Amino acid sequence: MPDTNAHGDAVAQAQPGPRAASGTPPQPAASAEARTDERRFRAYTFAVLSLGLVAAFAVGSWLPFHWDSRLLWIGPVLAIAFLLAEQLGINVDVRSGISWTISFTEIPLVIGFFIAPFEVVLAAHLVAGIGTLLARKVAGRVLYNAGAFLLEITGAFAVAGLVKYAVGAGVGDKIPWVAALAGTLTAPLVSTLLALAAVRVLRRRMRVSTAVRLTARILVVGFVNASVGLSGYLVISNTPKAWPLVLAVFLGLTALYWAYSDLLREQRDMEALSDVSLMVARSGQQAAARPASRADELVGGVDVREWATIAERIKDQLAAGRVVLRLRLEPKDTMRVVVAGEDLPPADPTADDPLLRLPGAHVRHFRITEANPDVRAALLDRGAQEALVVPLRSANQLLGVVEAHDRLSRWRGFGKYDVQLLGTMASHLATSLDNRRLLATLRHDAYHDPLTGHLNRPGFRQVAKEPLRDFPNAVVLRIDLDVFSTVSDALGYAWADRMVIAAGRRIRDALGPDVPLARLEGASFAALLVGCPPEDAHHAAERLREELSAPYPVDRLSVEANAMIGYATTSADEPGDVVDIEGLLQRADVAVRATKGGEEVRGYVPSMGQIFLRRFQMVTQFRQSLEDGQVSVHYQPKITLPNRQVQGVEALVRWVHPEFGRLGPDEFVPAIEAAGLIGVLTSFVLGEALKRCRKWLDEGLRISVAVNLSVRNLADEDFPNKVARELERFGIPPELLTFELTESGVMSDPQKALPILRELHSLGIVLAVDDFGTGYSSLAYLRQLPVDQVKIDKSFVLGMGTDLGDLAVVRSIVELGHSLGLTVVAEGVEEDVARDQLEAMGCDVAQGYLISRPLPEDRLEAWLQARTARSPGRHSETVLTLLT
Ligand code: C2E
Ligand code: CA
Ligand code: CA
């Protein structure tokens, strides 16, 4: 008989939806709802039982009863047949969480019509059914099921009796086969209708199509079963010797049926397996899509709700009353308990649980009938009759335990297929968890800075996306601490790292735990403030800067640090202009670069962007512009004092840009330097200057050329070799080449710069300290440098006439330079007075607008020709005298 187990079993499932708990009682609302459902179901049970009893009474008095002593053995044989027929049944999975069993009950029933009266068949069925229920100690369901049994058999006999009457058979006549068939089909129909009503009573959802499909399937199977039983009985009762034939047909059909059910089960099990693995994998992706998820909602990177769904799926597949997932995916985590199905009675988490002592990785099957009293007690604590328990293991680590309690069937407990299925599920689950953990680690590493543990740039982009979409007012802060290079130079990288960690911690403390914070590189951080109106941004940045500027205790040292903050707000843009996180980061970066020079906090304004756009263009177009001849070298003469001979020229680069016009080196040299293109610039200028020098030599003029170097040139170890090759190429004596370097340039990285400078010096090249007086200007340090010249910065020379201080500086530099045996050059000589003063002080060389502005080659030629007297003869030493 197709048998719907929705009966009492469904009570256990009355909880709506999956729940998660960590040893806490379930939500009161869910419980209250469950209690109402339980009350409704009790009323339903009462109705079914009363109706069954009344109907059985009525049908019993209507149908005749003939006593026969053979009934003494027919009754027990029928009961055993019913028992066997049920035991061989298979489960059909229905997603309402109610399991339906298809069995062979129709076979004993249809035969029962011929060999026994109503009362005996009813008794046999009741004894078989209730006996099994009681043996499995599922007391709560007995009454409802008893009522259902009564109605099934009563209905069957009532219909059979009516059909018998309808086909015109007499009261004492044997029952016609049509009547037996119709009656037999009534039983599964009644039980199905009762179960569908139970689904309604419990307010569980089942689609109409599912209900119809299920009923149809049960009727078809019922019909096949009844026909087999009927034909077998008819053949044997007519030709008793044909029993082996009937047996063969029956066995054949059974074999087919089993093969089919095995196939069905295997297919369903495969589906369930891939479902569970997929759920873990998919939930991992979802969790990754919102990295800001609160850790307490996640177990092993998987949302607790997802775990509940997984538990629910396992429960459905095993037709278990309850599935418990116990998870501890990280060693330091507390054990999390996720329950699907019936509530788990609260348990003492510290107690030693004999069901959780799990050696190996296989599934263990515990039953209440077991001898071990500890196991019995543990099952009773769970309110369970039996339990399948399997550990989730990865390598040697216990990730968790899966428990399945009480199979939802009124006849059978868990079988070997359930054990197998749970075992495979557990290993799939453990593998997917392992993969998830690996993935989570990789993802975490991809989005986080290993040093500070804050986000990195890609992580920041990812995390910032969502709040940026949700909040109209957002501010991106870019925080630069100027400490990194200073500390790492002075103390080494380990200290700089500690400094960065300390700074990161301080920013985190200042901004609070929920603000997305990233370390971009070095000692640069970025933070996203949401819900911060643009007018408050400056204040917020300023406050943060103050906090960051306090000294950092790093071990026993206290390191001073200066913080610069640039910020960009979402509303700083022109209307209609959409800014994403990338754009904001870039703007904040532009703003922080604009902080130099006093203002330590700056907000982005569009004009800043223009500057940077221009810079960007300059950097990208520089190489091409060299080829296109947009870049040239101008020369500014230097004359000796007091005899005013041309001592040399300084090469100064010029760029006439097709779009931006004339660009001064102060504008583009720093950009080119930062872009790592200074080598290209220097070799161009050097080449031009040496070519010029060669021409003069060829004309018999010995004029030295000075080329400005940047610190970055000194980072190139091969630089001296390159210079030597160039000198050789043009055949220039090295003493005709001067390199000018600012002192702060050399100071910033003396270890690197000094060897290169020494090498250049040993080549015979003249070295000059440019802009002297503006930097640290340490005498001791000047002595260490292999230099030949100092160039007094033009700011002092220009101010000399009006400022006594400047005059004093110039005077002392001249004296200092001479005391060190250096040639002293003054630049920025614009007036006669200045030249005369310098001459009086004993300054060696003068350069400035008074003598000449920097000139292009042709005009320099003219200048030289107009102002000098030239002695004839090519390679002879020539003296150039200034005429004016
Ligand atoms: P600098 O080396 O100090 O060059 C002298 C600057 O002072 C030049 O500016 C020159 O035009 C200007 N100057 C000369 N005499 C006077 C004067 O009497 N009064 C005033 N007010 N200014 C005077 P310029 O050409 O704009 O160059 C600026 C800076 O750019 C240079 O300063 C130098 O540091 C850098 N620079 C120029 N060419 C190159 C180059 O080829 N390579 C590198 N690395 N830097 C260069
Ligand atoms: Ca210079
Ligand atoms: Ca200078």
Side-chain angles (χ1 to χ4, degrees), residues 650 740 770-771 791-794 827:
E650 179 175 2
E740 298 187 5
D770 208 346
D771 300 348
K791 289 185 83 175
I792 310 171
D793 190 72
K794 56 180 170 287
E827 61 177 18

Side-chain angles (χ1 to χ4, degrees), residues 636 650-654 664-666 669 678 681-682 685 707-710 713 740 742 770-771 791 793-794 798 827-830 847-850 852 854:
Q636 186 177 31
E650 179 175 2
L652 295 160
V653 70
R654 294 290 178 265
D666 284 333
V669 170
I678 197 68
L681 173 71
T682 305
V685 176
V707 171
N708 290 283
L709 290 190
S710 125
N713 289 124
E740 298 187 5
T742 59
D770 208 346
D771 300 348
K791 289 185 83 175
D793 190 72
K794 56 180 170 287
L798 288 170
E827 61 177 18
V829 183
E830 292 186 0
Q847 176 185 3
Y849 294 169
L850 174 72
S852 168

Side-chain angles (χ1 to χ4, degrees), residues 534-653:
E535 58 272 19
D536 294 354
H538 197 86
H539 186 61
E542 210 126 60
R543 242 191 356 244
L544 180 62
R545 200 198 75 79
E546 251 160 58
E547 266 173 82
L548 292 179
S549 301
Y552 290 80
V554 179
D555 271 7
R556 269 155 297 149
L557 285 185
S558 167
V559 183
E560 302 265 337
N562 196 21
M564 269 94 61
I565 299 184
Y567 64 89
T569 62
T570 39
S571 40
D573 48 317
E574 289 87 50
D577 168 14
V578 184
V579 227
D580 55 358
I581 184 64
E582 201 52 47
L584 284 174
L585 263 176
Q586 210 173 324
R587 288 177 178 191
D589 183 43
V590 166
V592 84
R593 282 163 198 257
T595 53
K596 278 158 206 134
E599 262 185 284
E600 275 138 338
V601 172
R602 292 200 63 175
Y604 172 84
V605 284
S607 63
M608 285 180 183
Q610 288 303 307
I611 294 170
F612 280 86
L613 185 68
R614 205 169 136 125
R615 276 190 136 198
F616 178 77
Q617 273 176 290
M618 289 189 312
V619 165
T620 51
Q621 296 166 352
F622 182 69
R623 272 177 202 271
Q624 189 60 44
S625 64
L626 277 182
E627 282 175 28
D628 295 349
Q630 295 166 18
V631 181
S632 63
V633 177
H634 286 201
Y635 299 93
Q636 186 177 31
K638 295 185 263 187
I639 56 159
T640 53
L641 297 175
N643 51 15
R644 302 183 193 178
Q645 289 168 355
V646 175
Q647 183 258 351
V649 295
E650 179 175 2
L652 295 160
V653 70

Side-chain angles (χ1 to χ4, degrees), residues 460-472:
F460 187 70
R461 271 189 218 123
Q462 187 75 20
V463 170
K465 250 189 230 155
E466 211 171 301
L468 209 57
R469 209 180 321 119
D470 300 345
F471 292 91

